[in-house]
């Protein structure tokens, strides 16, 4: 017996009549009390047996099932923990969305750097798994949005030093975890003889452990993971990824009970969707005009029992899977598809709307990057599904149905976001359709199908769904092969952490140094200190000085480093940069001081003061922006400077001038209130429990204790330097707003003295404009508008006169016959605008225009009426070559030229012959 197999030999199994056996169909090993059980009990080895045969004593809604689970574990000494947001990048920088309850406690708790909020604990965590998007609606059991009910216990081995990790000892392990699972089944009225435990070792991210899938009546209802190993080439455990692993100091109970599936089994409905979205499915069916006869309803019921075969991840071929289901219910594939596909779309719409409610309700703003991209992808797919099946209810209303059920308070914002995105999608489709036509023609000429990469790029760049590409491509004679997991492939492009930082490798010399004592938190107004040089590191770009303590603030959190001087008995050294490398602060100077010397450090007072003012102002502006635009506003980036600062926020539309003024009013009101700017260092669990993950606007700080900055109601985790009271900011002036990328707005502002300087600069520009216009500053807008209108009117008049002149000149050139067409060839020494106007006048008369000019070198314009077999681009190319240049354009209009104006007449003389050659080619 292998070491891994031994991990599943639980006392609980031995003492409660379980036996281990191997499934002859799939080869999985499983544990069961039923001596007659041969198969593992999971599709595709068996079919569902709970449909129309509920598995528990009572039927449960989602809310009732959630409460039953959490109450059971509370009664068994677990503390209930509130769920985290679905946007996991609020508290970690390596992933985007919350895909499991254990995500809430990674990486700090699972690594042992900080204790969990409770131990043991239970939770029902909303999750989103984009990789399941193509399965939704088809399998009868997959949902992209789901709640993972879970209980967790965090343990360390007894021999480990108590001070090495943030928790110590064993709470409980495998036997107790399986016993809890059994007992919960019994509490629900299930027959424990029907519960099967399948061995399925878990591997992920360099960790591993034994794991158990819990199967009941054909469906997996829970997974029990025992995270206890780390990758080690000399380890005793060989896992399914081919690597070897050894035991870790920490070992963690990581369970997951699918809320939706438990409710489904309790009700015995044909699919999980009827169990969790009953009202919405009926609404969507009615809206789309989908009705079923009793015979059709019965057929759908029968097909649902076999739908476990429709797993895109496991079924080798979807067509074969559908054929197997059709054969199982005794119908033709086409007949069954016609019945199932509209319902699969209805199910997907309901699920996608709940996914969007979670995403937008938790403050994710659609954009082209990270979580925003994933939200946009789901929204656009949902809109396309609605159009496909004939659901004409506004998408914002459908999403609101789910947002209301989930209890979100920002429903008006959610609806606004959906409406805005739907309108953007329409505009995108109009632009993208032309690109699809070009692509279809290109691949039709090659007699090749449009490849998957092109489909993904079309979706990524233009939001064009693959079925739309199929429609357009078929008209051009091109084919499309859409993979069954198309949307999963798209999501993979973007399902990675947006905040992964590029961190320089710390050299060994720095790694061996003690951490620098940071004095700037003790008194942020103090700018002078004494210290000892403990190391001097010479580098190609300068010298890094390490002190035992420092008042210099290192660059971080969008705040530039302090500048100043370090003085010793031997001289003064100018500090031009300061960086923190794993707690060691490096002061960059130009020449080398002596190691061990005493130094007097002096901070550039004016620079520090301006940076402090702008950092505090950034918090205030962010708070004011949330007050004006909504609670969904979250920081996407910030940079503080001495002359101005900028704050990037996630928002779904442009910030109006009136909103900017209101942001300024609220921000400056908070400044005038002169409230205290205070700091505290609470335990991060306490801080998160009290304030939520909006604490981490400027990044995710490490450590068990985090520094919070309080300014009235605004609370943020922040490592920067700040003024003592809001009144010290002086004033805040928003200088500009701009959209720096889709879904991200930038506010640039100035505070304190910089605000006065910015205002004076704006006034100077206004006074300069007033002087030029010879009016008072107050009259500048009206005067500028009047001048602009007059300028536009004169421009229009010039354009009309140019056209009239062109029409008159159009009859001055040489006319030659080219086949059935008359061409006018003329030298007209005018600018390019007049050449184009004259050419257009000739084309309107049905004539080919060949015009040349010596204005700024030799220029040519060639225009051809519709239906005339002459390529204007080719003609221009030949003419321009004679004057040492080039040109081109579409067949009906082209222009070009070259530097040799002395050869212009010679080139024009050759035009008749060129026209004849081009026409006869």
């Amino acid at each position: 017996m292998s070491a891994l197999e031994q991990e599943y030999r639980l006392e609980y199994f031995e003492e409660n009549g379980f036996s281990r056996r191997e499934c002859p169909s799939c080869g999985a090993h499983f544990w069961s009390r039923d001596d007659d059980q041969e198969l593992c009990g999971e599709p595709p080895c068996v079919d569902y047996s709970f449909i129309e045969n509920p598995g528990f004593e009572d039927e449960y809604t989602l809310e009732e099932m959630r409460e039953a689970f959490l109450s059971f574990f509370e009664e068994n000494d677990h503390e209930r923990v509130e769920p985290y947001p679905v946007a996991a990048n609020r508290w970690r920088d390596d992933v985007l969305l919350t895909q499991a309850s254990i995500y809430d406690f990674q990486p700090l708790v699972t690594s042992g750097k900080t204790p969990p909020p409770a131990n043991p604990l239970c939770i029902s965590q909303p999750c989103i798994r984009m990789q399941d998007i193509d399965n939704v609606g088809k399998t009868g059991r997959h949902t992209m949005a789901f709640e993972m009910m879970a209980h967790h216990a965090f343990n360390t081995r007894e021999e480990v030093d108590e001070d090495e990790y943030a928790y110590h000892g064993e709470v409980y392990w495998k036997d107790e975890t399986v016993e809890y699972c059994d007992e919960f089944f019994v509490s629900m009225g299930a027959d424990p003889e029907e519960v099967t435990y399948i061995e399925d070792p878990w591997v992920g991210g360099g960790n591993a452990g034994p794991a158990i899938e819990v199967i009941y009546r054909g469906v997996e209802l829970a997974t029990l993971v025992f995270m206890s190993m780390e990758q080690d080439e000399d380890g005793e455990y060989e896992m399914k990824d081919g690597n070897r692993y050894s035991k870790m100091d920490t070992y963690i109970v990581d369970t997951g009970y699918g809320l939706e599936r438990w409710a489904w089994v309790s009700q015995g409905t044909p699919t999980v969707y009827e169990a969790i979205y009953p009202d919405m499915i009926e609404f969507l069916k009615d809206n789309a005009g989908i009705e079923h006869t009793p015979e059709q309803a019965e057929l759908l019921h029968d097909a649902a029992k076999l739908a476990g075969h429709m797993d895109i991840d496991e079924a080798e071929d979807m067509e074969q899977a559908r054929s197997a289901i059709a054969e199982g219910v005794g119908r033709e594939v086409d007949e069954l598809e016609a019945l199932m596909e509209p319902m699969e779309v209805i199910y997907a719409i309901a699920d996608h709307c709940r996914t969007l409610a979670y995403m937008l309700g938790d403050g994710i703003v659609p954009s082209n990057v990270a979580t925003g991209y994933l939200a946009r992808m789901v929204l656009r797919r949902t809109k396309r599904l609605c159009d496909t099946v004939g659901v004409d209810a506004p998408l914002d209303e459908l999403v609101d149905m789910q947002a209301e059920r989930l209890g979100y308070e920002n429903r008006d914002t959610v609806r606004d976001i959906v409406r805005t995105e739907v309108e953007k999608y329409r505009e995108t489709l109009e632009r993208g359709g032309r690109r699809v036509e070009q692509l279809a023609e290109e691949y039709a000429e090659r007699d090749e199908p449009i490849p998957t990469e092109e489909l993904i790029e079309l979706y990524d760049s233009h939001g064009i769904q693959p079925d739309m590409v199929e429609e357009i491509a078929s008209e051009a004679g091109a084919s499309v092969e859409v993979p069954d997991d198309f949307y999963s492939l798209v999501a993979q492009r973007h399902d990675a952490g947006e905040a992964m930082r590029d961190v320089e490798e710390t050299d060994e010399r720095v790694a061996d140094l003690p951490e620098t004592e940071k004095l700037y938190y003790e008194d942020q107004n103090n700018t002078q200190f004494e210290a000892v040089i403990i190391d001097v590191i010479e580098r190609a770009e300068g010298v890094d000085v390490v002190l035992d303590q420092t008042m210099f603030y290192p660059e971080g959190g969008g705040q530039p480093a302090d500048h100043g001087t370090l003085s010793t008995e031997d001289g003064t050294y100018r500090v031009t940069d300061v960086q923190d490398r794993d707690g060691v602060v490096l002061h960059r100077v130009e020449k080398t001081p002596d190691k061990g010397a005493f130094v007097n450090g002096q901070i550039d007072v004016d620079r520090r003061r301006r940076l402090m003012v702008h950092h505090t102002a950034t918090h205030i502006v962010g708070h004011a922006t949330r007050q004006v635009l909504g609670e969904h506003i979250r920081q996407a980036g910030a940079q503080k400077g001495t002359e101005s600062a900028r704050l990037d926020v996630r928002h779904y539309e442009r910030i109006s001038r009136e909103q900017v003024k209101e942001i300024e009013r609220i921000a400056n009101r908070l400044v005038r209130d002169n409230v205290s700017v205070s700091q505290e260092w609470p335990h991060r669990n306490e801080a998160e429990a009290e304030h939520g993950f909006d604490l981490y606007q400027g990044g995710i700080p490490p450590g068990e204790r985090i520094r919070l900055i309080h300014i009235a109601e605004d609370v943020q985790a922040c490592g920067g330097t700040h003024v003592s009271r809001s009144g010290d900011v002086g004033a805040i002036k928003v200088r500009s707003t701009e959209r720096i990328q889709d879904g991200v707005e930038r506010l640039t502002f100035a505070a304190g003295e910089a605000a006065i300087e910015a205002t004076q600069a704006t006034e100077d520009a206004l006074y300069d404009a007033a002087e030029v216009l010879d009016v008072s500053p107050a009259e500048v807008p009206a005067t500028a508008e009047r001048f602009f209108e007059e300028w536009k009117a004169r421009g229009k008049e010039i354009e009309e006169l140019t056209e009239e002149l062109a029409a008159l000149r159009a009859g001055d050139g040489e006319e030659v016959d080219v086949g059935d067409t008359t061409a006018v060839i003329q030298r007209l020494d005018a600018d390019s605008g007049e050449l184009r106007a004259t050419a257009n006048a000739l084309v309107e008369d049905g004539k080919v225009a060949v015009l040349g000019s010596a204005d700024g070198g030799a220029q040519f314009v060639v225009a051809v009426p519709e239906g005339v077999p002459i390529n204007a681009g080719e003609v221009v190319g030949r003419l321009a070559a004679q004057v040492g240049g080039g040109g081109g354009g579409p067949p009906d209009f082209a222009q070009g030229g070259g530097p040799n104006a002395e050869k212009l007449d010679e080139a024009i003389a050759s035009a008749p012959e060129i026209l004849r050659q081009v026409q006869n080619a």
Side-chain angles (χ1 to χ4, degrees):
M1 181 184 300
S2 70
L4 184 59
E5 288 176 339
Q6 187 63 35
E7 290 288 323
Y8 292 99
R9 295 284 176 178
L10 306 185
E11 289 184 11
Y12 183 80
F13 285 153
E14 302 289 349
E15 295 172 358
N16 287 274
F18 286 86
S19 60
R20 183 178 189 260
R21 54 205 82 165
E22 181 177 350
C23 178
S25 177
C26 68
H29 289 92
F30 63 92
W31 294 81
S32 173
R33 290 183 174 94
D34 184 356
D35 293 333
D36 297 325
Q37 182 175 339
E38 295 182 358
L39 299 173
C40 65
E42 184 178 26
C45 300
V46 301
D47 300 327
Y48 299 148
S49 61
F50 66 89
I51 295 177
E52 297 179 343
N53 179 29
F56 305 132
E57 286 181 353
D58 300 311
E59 292 187 2
Y60 290 80
T61 64
L62 291 178
E63 292 74 20
E64 292 166 344
M65 182 60 73
R66 180 192 304 117
E67 186 55 37
F69 176 87
L70 294 173
S71 295
F72 172 85
F73 280 95
E74 279 188 313
E75 291 166 5
N76 284 279
D77 301 321
H78 290 66
E79 184 174 327
R80 185 185 302 209
V81 173
E82 290 299 310
Y84 288 36
V86 296
N89 59 348
R90 299 274 170 78
W91 67 90
R92 51 190 297 190
D93 58 12
D94 57 337
V95 295
L96 296 179
L97 297 173
T98 308
Q99 297 190 40
S101 59
I102 195 65
Y103 276 42
D104 300 349
F105 313 111
Q106 292 172 322
L108 295 175
V109 177
T110 53
S111 66
K113 291 182 179 179
T114 189
N119 197 13
L121 61 83
C122 60
I123 191 171
S124 189
Q125 174 60 47
C127 301
I128 295 174
R129 287 187 180 172
M130 299 297 296
Q131 59 265 41
D132 288 334
I133 189 170
D134 296 291
N135 270 322
V136 174
K138 294 182 174 66
T139 66
R141 71 179 188 274
H142 278 94
T143 59
M144 184 165 47
F146 63 97
E147 280 190 45
M148 181 177 284
M149 304 184 298
H151 62 99
H152 296 282
F154 302 89
N155 310 294
T156 60
R157 305 196 186 282
E158 290 295 336
E159 63 270 20
V160 174
D161 188 336
E162 287 192 27
D163 298 328
E164 192 168 344
Y165 296 99
Y167 43 87
H168 183 72
E170 180 174 292
V171 181
Y172 62 79
W173 193 224
K174 292 182 289 188
D175 285 276
E176 296 90 337
T177 301
V178 175
E179 184 176 2
Y180 280 135
C181 187
D182 248 10
E183 289 178 355
F184 183 59
F185 270 102
V186 171
S187 75
M188 302 301 293
D191 180 359
E193 294 281 333
E194 296 185 66
V195 181
T196 303
Y197 294 91
I198 300 177
E199 298 177 7
D200 184 26
W202 170 82
V203 174
N207 294 119
I212 296 171
E213 292 181 352
V214 185
I215 313 299
Y216 180 66
R217 294 195 178 179
V219 66
E220 180 185 346
L221 288 185
T223 302
L224 314 177
V225 176
F226 303 101
M227 186 190 304
S228 55
M229 305 174 188
E230 58 189 353
Q231 196 167 326
D232 177 2
E233 61 182 17
D234 298 321
E236 63 176 313
Y237 298 92
E238 183 175 352
M239 304 299 281
K240 58 188 177 182
D241 64 349
N243 294 312
R244 304 197 71 84
Y245 290 79
S246 60
K247 292 290 184 71
M248 300 189 301
D249 289 344
T250 60
Y251 54 108
I252 297 161
V253 173
D254 173 20
T255 68
Y257 291 65
L259 170 63
E260 291 75 13
R261 292 188 184 181
W262 282 80
W264 179 25
V265 170
S266 80
Q267 297 179 35
T269 55
T271 73
V272 70
Y273 314 111
E274 282 95 357
I276 62 178
Y277 307 123
D279 296 337
M280 189 166 196
I281 287 172
E282 285 305 312
F283 174 85
L284 292 170
K285 285 171 61 178
D286 182 64
N287 187 273
I290 297 175
E291 297 180 2
H292 296 129
T293 65
E295 180 185 6
Q296 290 173 328
E298 184 178 356
L299 181 57
L300 283 171
H301 282 204
D302 294 340
K305 296 176 183 179
L306 305 175
H309 298 279
M310 297 288 290
D311 191 329
I312 290 170
D313 296 328
E314 297 174 5
E316 294 182 4
D317 183 273
M318 288 297 292
E319 293 302 319
Q320 289 182 3
R322 286 191 186 277
S323 296
I325 294 175
E327 183 178 346
V329 297
R331 297 299 176 99
E332 294 295 323
V333 174
D334 292 346
E335 178 189 0
L336 187 62
E337 284 187 344
L339 187 61
M340 290 180 66
E341 286 183 350
M343 286 306 301
E344 290 171 356
V345 173
I346 292 294
Y347 297 150
I349 292 170
D351 176 75
H352 289 11
C353 285
R354 182 166 71 144
T355 302
L356 287 169
Y358 274 133
M359 286 179 148
L360 306 182
D362 276 353
I364 294 175
V365 175
S367 69
N368 286 333
V369 295
T371 52
Y373 178 88
L374 299 176
R376 174 168 288 169
M377 187 182 85
V378 176
L379 191 148
R380 290 181 172 182
R381 184 172 195 251
T382 309
K383 180 65 175 78
R384 181 61 177 169
L385 290 173
C386 288
D387 294 342
T388 299
V389 81
V391 171
D392 61 5
L395 185 56
D396 62 294
E397 290 184 12
L398 300 180
V399 175
D400 186 58
M401 289 182 187
Q402 294 296 328
E404 180 181 22
R405 190 178 68 78
L406 295 171
Y408 282 110
E409 297 180 358
N410 59 339
R411 288 166 52 202
D412 288 343
T413 300
V414 169
R415 294 190 67 165
D416 283 345
I417 290 174
V418 175
R419 283 192 291 264
T420 300
E421 279 296 305
V422 168
E423 184 56 37
K424 287 181 181 177
Y425 185 33
R426 289 197 187 99
E427 295 170 358
T428 301
L429 289 180
E430 290 176 7
R431 295 193 301 269
R434 293 188 290 273
R435 171 61 184 146
V436 178
E437 291 171 359
Q438 294 172 357
L439 203 62
E441 291 174 2
E442 177 184 335
Y443 280 93
E445 288 179 7
R446 298 186 196 174
D447 195 24
E448 297 175 4
I450 298 176
T452 299
E453 273 304 309
E454 293 281 13
L455 295 179
I456 293 176
E457 187 60 36
L458 283 169
Y459 184 88
D460 240 1
S461 301
H462 303 287
I464 306 294
Q465 312 280 344
D467 56 342
M468 296 180 66
V469 179
E470 282 186 293
E471 292 175 15
I472 298 172
S474 63
E475 296 174 5
S479 61
V480 175
E481 296 178 0
V482 183
D484 293 323
D485 60 347
F486 173 79
Y487 289 95
S488 297
L489 295 174
V490 173
Q492 286 172 16
R493 273 193 171 192
H494 299 266
D495 195 9
E498 66 177 328
M500 295 296 286
R501 299 179 178 90
D502 293 327
V503 181
E504 291 182 25
E505 283 192 28
T506 304
D507 56 60
E508 292 182 7
R509 185 165 170 181
V510 172
D512 291 338
L513 294 172
E515 290 192 10
T516 309
E517 184 181 353
K518 301 173 177 64
L519 304 175
Y520 43 80
Y521 289 142
E522 297 175 6
D523 183 357
Q524 296 174 81
N525 292 309
N526 190 354
T527 57
Q528 190 172 8
F529 68 101
E530 293 181 345
V532 176
I533 298 176
I534 62 173
D535 205 354
V536 177
I537 305 171
E538 295 185 358
R539 305 187 189 276
E541 60 274 19
V543 179
D544 285 339
V545 175
V546 181
L547 308 174
D548 64 334
Q549 60 182 10
T550 187
M551 193 69 70
F552 280 88
Y553 181 82
E555 181 182 13
Q559 180 172 326
D562 282 334
H563 291 176
T565 58
L566 296 175
S567 298
T568 70
E569 290 182 352
D570 296 328
T572 298
Y573 305 84
R574 190 164 58 90
V575 177
T576 57
D577 188 30
V578 186
Q579 298 292 327
D580 188 326
R581 294 287 178 262
D582 295 325
V584 178
V585 179
L586 307 177
H587 305 74
R588 176 60 53 83
V589 296
E590 296 177 345
K591 54 186 180 177
T592 306
D594 293 332
K595 183 177 176 180
F598 286 91
V599 299
N600 184 285
Q602 176 65 57
I603 311 295
D604 181 329
V605 176
D606 183 62
R607 176 183 173 85
R608 161 71 77 84
R609 182 70 183 174
R610 282 174 172 257
L611 291 173
M612 289 169 62
V613 164
H614 275 122
H615 204 143
T616 304
T618 300
H619 286 226
I620 294 173
V621 170
H623 173 75
T625 303
R626 279 189 292 279
Q627 298 297 306
V628 174
L629 302 182
E631 288 301 315
H632 66 282
I633 291 296
R634 284 178 178 81
Q635 183 175 311
Q639 184 63 46
K640 298 84 182 176
T642 56
E643 304 303 320
S644 66
R646 65 174 187 259
L647 175 66
D648 301 336
V649 298
R650 304 191 186 282
H651 189 46
Y652 54 91
E653 60 186 2
R654 293 305 317 276
I655 302 176
S656 69
R657 176 61 189 157
E658 284 305 311
Q659 289 171 329
V660 169
K661 290 161 68 175
E662 184 62 18
I663 290 169
E664 279 187 343
R665 278 193 288 268
I666 292 174
N668 283 292
R669 187 185 308 140
L670 186 52
V671 170
R672 291 195 303 274
D673 288 344
N674 197 28
V675 299
S676 171
V677 180
S678 62
Q679 64 173 326
E680 63 166 330
W681 293 83
H683 192 287
R684 70 184 310 123
N685 286 345
E686 297 171 2
E688 290 170 358
E690 183 175 357
H691 303 291
F693 296 103
D694 285 346
L695 282 175
Y696 305 135
Q697 294 287 331
I700 304 154
E704 189 171 323
R705 294 192 172 273
I706 57 176
R707 179 175 182 251
L708 300 187
I709 297 297
H710 295 256
I711 307 175
E713 297 176 357
D714 185 77
V715 185
Q716 292 186 40
C718 178
T721 56
H722 291 271
V723 297
S724 301
R725 305 192 69 84
S726 63
D728 296 338
V729 170
I732 296 173
K733 178 64 182 173
V734 179
R735 298 176 62 175
S736 66
T737 64
E738 61 177 319
R739 170 154 290 183
I740 60 170
Q741 68 183 52
D742 195 19
V744 179
E745 295 288 310
R746 170 168 293 171
L747 295 95
T748 300
F749 57 93
E753 291 183 23
I756 297 173
E757 293 164 0
T759 302
Q760 290 173 339
T762 302
E763 288 181 343
D764 287 345
L766 177 62
Y767 276 93
D768 288 346
E771 186 175 346
V772 170
L773 297 172
D774 195 23
V775 296
S776 69
E779 295 173 304
V780 167
T783 304
E785 183 178 9
R786 176 167 57 82
F787 280 10
F788 180 69
E789 292 300 327
E790 291 176 359
W791 175 79
K792 281 200 306 184
R794 288 177 182 173
K796 187 174 182 181
E797 183 180 354
I798 291 170
E799 185 179 332
E800 291 172 352
L801 290 172
T802 300
E803 291 176 357
E804 290 178 14
L805 180 60
L808 291 173
R809 286 185 168 180
D812 295 342
E814 174 191 359
E815 292 191 358
V816 298
D817 292 330
V818 184
D820 298 331
T821 307
T822 299
V824 175
I825 301 169
Q826 181 179 0
R827 173 169 176 168
L828 181 64
D829 289 332
D831 60 27
S832 58
E834 192 171 335
L835 288 178
R836 287 194 297 270
T838 305
N840 289 335
L842 289 167
V843 167
E844 287 178 6
D845 287 341
K847 299 175 181 178
V848 175
V850 181
L851 307 178
S853 170
D855 184 36
Q859 295 185 59
F860 299 101
V861 170
V862 178
V864 179
E866 185 177 353
V868 174
I870 292 176
N871 188 311
E874 188 174 348
V875 174
V876 161
R878 295 194 186 189
L879 291 171
Q882 297 182 55
V883 293
D892 60 339
F893 188 91
Q895 53 190 350
N900 301 330
E902 66 276 7
K903 295 185 178 181
L904 176 63
D905 291 333
E906 183 180 338
I908 290 176
S910 69
E913 182 58 28
I914 291 174
L915 289 170
R916 295 187 185 98
Q917 291 174 1
V918 169
Q919 187 181 43
N920 294 329

